[in-house]
Amino acid sequence: MKKRDKKDKNENIKKANTIREKPVKEKEQKETSENEAVSFKYELFSEVIVKNPVLVSTIGLCPVVAICTSLKSAVVLSIITYFTMIFSQIISASVLKHCPQWARVALYALSGMAIVAPSMLLLENVLPENMIALGIYLPLLAVNPLITRQCERVAVKSTVKQAFVNAVSCSTGYAAVLIITGFVRELLGSGTLWDYRVFSFPTATALTNPFGGFIVIGFMAAILRWYFKKIDPEYAEDLAVNSRSSIKKPKVKKSQKHKKAHVSSMTYEPQEYLPHQEEVTTQESVQEEIPAEESHQEDEQNLTETFEQALAENTTHIDNSEEQILEIQLEPQIKEIVQEETKANKKIEYTSKELEDLMSKSLEDIIKDTIKETPQEPDADKEVPKQ
Amino acid sequence: MNMILQFFSAALYIVFVQNLVFSGGYGASEAIRTAARPKQLALFAVMITYFSTTTSLLCRLIWLIPVFKTAGTTIAIVMFVLVLIVVYLITALIILKMLKGAGWRQEEKDKLLRQAGVSAFNTIVLAVPFISQRVAYTVSESIGAGIGAGFAFILATLLIHEGMKKLESNEEIPNCFKGTPAVFIYIALLSMAFTGFSGKTLFF
C-alpha cells in the first residue's frame, strides 16, 4: 500500500514535471520558428532588394539580357534557376565542404548540369518552341556565375537549412529581375503578353535585342537606387560611389564597421529594414570581385554579427513576454507541486499511530486532511489594503 | 592557306562583328567586374582565351566521332560541360604541381586557382563550343573562335573600363543613374553599335 502511494506520488510529480516541461519545449519551438521566420524575411529582403544579384551585384547578366525577351521564357528560366540553385547549394552545404576550393568549382558546374540536362529533355517534349527560343542560353545556366558565387560564399560555410534559405532568397531576387525584364520587353517589344496580343501600336522591336535588355535593367537599377535614396540617401550615395569604380574605393575602418553593425543591431526591425545599416556588407555592386573574398568574408561576418545581435534582442523581448505568460500558465501546477512537497515534509513528523491511520486512508483523503490542517497564508500577489 | 584564312575570319567575326559580350551578353557580368579592376584583365583574358580555345578544339574533335555526331543536342551539351570540367581540373592540377616548388605563398596559389575557376566556368567560355557546333565550324575556325572569344572579352572590358572612367567624372548624370545604372545604359549603347555591325534590324 505504501509502495503504491509512493508510486502514485512519483507519477504525480512526473506528470507535474511533464506539464512544466511541455510549455518550455513549446516555448523553445515557438522561439526557433519565430527566429527562422525573421531570418527568412531578412534573407529574402536582403537578396531581393539590398543585394539583388543583377541590379546591385551585376552578376548573371547573360540570360537576363539575351533571352528574357518574353514572359514565358523568363518564367521557364526562373523555375530552372530555382531548382539549379537549390540543388547546387544543398549539395555544397552537405557534401562539398571538405573538398578543396579549386575542385569545388568544377563540381558546382556538374551539379548545375545535373538539373539543366533533365530540364532540357523535359522542355524538348513539353514546350519544344520554348526550347528553341532559349537556345544555347539554357545549358549555360549550369555555369551561371551566380550559382558558383552563392555556393562558394554561402553554402559551403553554412548548414543545409541555411543554404536552402539562401538559395530560395537569391533565386527569388534573380527571378524577380528575369520576370520583370521579360514582362517589359515582351510588352513593349512585341506588344504581347504570354503570347497574347495586348495592343497593336507600333512596338519597339529593338528591345528584344540584348541591348534592349541592358536598357531595361539599367532603368530597373535606377529605380532601385531611387528607392534606396528615398529610404536611406547615405546608402544610395555609397552605392553610387562604389559602383562607379573600384579605383577609388573608400576603405572603411574596422572600428567604424563594428560601430555601424552595432547601430544596425540596435535599430533592427524585420519589417522595416534599413539598407544603410548594412552598407558595409552591401558595397558589392560593380567592384564586388571573387578575388576580393577576404573583404567579403569580413562583410559577411559583420552581417552575421549584426543579425545575431538583432536576433538576440528580439529573442530577449520574446523571453520577457513569454516568461510572464508561462508563469501565469504554470501557477496552478507549481502550487500543486509545492503543496505536495509540503505534505511530504509534514509526513516525517507523523507518529507510528498516525501513520497506521494514514495507511488505512486513501491518498486523496490524506491530501484533503493536510490542506485542511495547513493554515492559509495571505496571498503575496494580493495588494495589502492601505491603512 | 585556307585554314589560316578560316582561322582569322572566325576570330575577327567573334571579336568585331558578333562581339560575344555585346551582341550576345556572354560573360557580360565578368567583363563589368573586370573593367572595375583592370589590373586583373591580363591574367583573366589569358585564362579565358586558353579555356575557350582548348574546350572549343576538343569539343570539335569529339564532335567528329560518328557516335557523337548522331547524338542529340542535350548529349552534346552535357559533353561540352564535361570537357570543360576535365580541361579545368587538368589545368588546376598542372598549376598546383608547377607551383609546388616555386615558393609561392598559399594565398597567392589560392588566388590564382580561384581566377582559373572563375574564368573557366564562364558563359563566354562555354558559349564558344556551342556556337562552333551550331555554325558547324571547322577545326581551324573553332580555334579561331576560341581565341576570338578571348580578344572579344579584352575589347569589351577595355571599352567598359574607359566608359566607367568617363561616367565617373561626369557630374551631369542624375543621381539615380549614377554607378551601375549608368554603366548598364552605356553597355546598352555599345551593344547597340555592335548589333548594328551584325546587320540586324534595330528599330521597327
Side-chain angles (χ1 to χ4, degrees), chain A residues 211, chain B residues 22-23 156 159-160 163 185-195:
Chain A
F211 68 82
Chain B
F22 293 126
S23 303
L159 285 172
I160 296 169
I185 303 290
Y186 170 72
I187 296 169
L189 295 173
L190 285 172
S191 174
M192 198 187 288
F194 276 93
T195 314

Side-chain angles (χ1 to χ4, degrees), chain A residues 95-318:
Chain A
V95 185
L96 304 179
K97 273 181 180 171
H98 303 293
C99 279
Q101 196 266 337
W102 59 270
R104 277 201 303 259
V105 185
L107 296 170
Y108 298 148
L110 204 63
S111 65
M113 206 59 225
I115 295 292
V116 171
S119 312
M120 284 174 68
L121 286 171
L122 190 75
L123 275 177
E124 264 176 0
N125 294 318
V126 181
L127 294 164
E129 288 171 14
N130 223 283
M131 182 62 204
I132 294 163
L134 293 171
I136 65 166
Y137 289 93
L138 183 59
L140 291 180
L141 276 181
V143 291
N144 194 334
L146 175 66
I147 295 167
T148 313
R149 187 188 77 149
Q150 290 305 112
C151 287
E152 200 51 42
R153 288 192 180 161
V154 182
V156 289
K157 293 166 192 166
S158 43
T159 60
V160 176
K161 206 173 183 181
Q162 286 168 335
F164 177 79
V165 168
N166 182 269
V168 171
S169 318
C170 193
S171 307
T172 308
Y174 194 61
V177 177
L178 284 171
I179 289 168
I180 295 169
T181 312
F183 175 84
V184 173
R185 286 171 83 183
E186 192 182 356
L187 189 69
L188 302 178
S190 316
T192 57
L193 263 184
W194 205 270
D195 293 340
Y196 291 105
R197 186 145 289 282
V198 177
F199 57 81
S200 52
F201 303 115
T203 51
T205 45
L207 277 177
T208 53
N209 287 315
F211 68 82
F214 278 116
I215 291 173
V216 173
I217 59 167
F219 276 90
M220 280 167 70
I223 292 167
L224 195 68
R225 188 64 48 81
W226 171 79
Y227 170 73
F228 287 152
K229 212 171 162 52
K230 216 176 173 185
I231 59 165
D232 194 336
E234 212 175 321
Y235 172 72
E237 186 55 37
D238 285 346
L239 210 60
V241 169
N242 291 314
S243 59
R244 263 182 255 166
S245 165
S246 66
I247 301 161
K248 291 177 182 176
K249 190 180 175 182
K251 284 184 179 177
V252 184
K253 281 181 185 175
K254 213 171 182 180
S255 58
Q256 279 179 318
K257 279 186 186 182
H258 287 299
K259 198 179 172 186
K260 275 166 190 169
H262 178 69
V263 169
S264 71
S265 73
M266 297 293 282
T267 54
Y268 179 77
E269 281 174 40
Q271 287 84 14
E272 290 174 28
Y273 177 82
L274 301 174
H276 181 61
Q277 292 161 2
E278 296 299 337
E279 69 173 273
V280 178
T281 58
T282 53
Q283 286 169 357
E284 296 183 335
S285 57
V286 174
Q287 72 278 53
E288 186 200 26
E289 292 275 325
I290 288 180
E293 198 98 330
E294 288 163 15
S295 65
H296 279 288
Q297 278 174 0
E298 225 171 61
D299 289 350
E300 273 164 18
Q301 226 171 4
N302 265 339
L303 188 72
T304 322
E305 277 172 22
T306 310
F307 180 61
E308 278 170 2
Q309 279 177 15
L311 266 186
E313 280 185 16
N314 227 8
T315 317
T316 320
H317 177 71
I318 293 163

Side-chain angles (χ1 to χ4, degrees), chain B residues 78-188:
Chain B
V78 172
M79 184 195 74
F80 293 159
V81 176
L82 289 176
V83 168
L84 180 61
I85 289 170
V86 170
V87 169
Y88 165 73
L89 287 176
I90 290 169
T91 312
L93 287 171
I94 290 169
I95 291 172
L96 277 172
K97 206 170 183 186
M98 277 170 69
L99 298 181
K100 210 174 182 181
W104 281 46
R105 280 183 299 164
Q106 191 58 40
E107 286 171 13
E108 289 170 337
K109 278 184 199 175
D110 289 345
K111 199 179 172 183
L112 185 68
L113 285 167
R114 205 158 43 216
Q115 285 268 25
V118 173
S119 48
F121 297 102
N122 201 320
T123 46
I124 197 167
V125 172
L126 203 57
V128 179
F130 287 144
I131 293 168
S132 299
Q133 188 237 339
R134 278 210 158 182
V135 190
Y137 275 156
T138 60
V139 174
S140 56
E141 279 173 333
S142 299
I143 299 169
I147 293 171
F151 280 94
F153 183 80
I154 296 171
L155 179 70
T157 309
L158 289 175
L159 285 172
I160 296 169
H161 176 68
E162 278 307 305
M164 274 180 167
K165 279 205 287 190
K166 293 268 190 295
L167 293 169
E168 193 187 351
S169 58
N170 194 335
E171 292 300 321
E172 289 176 15
I173 298 171
N175 264 336
C176 292
F177 279 89
K178 274 181 184 170
T180 320
V183 172
F184 283 147
I185 303 290
Y186 170 72
I187 296 169

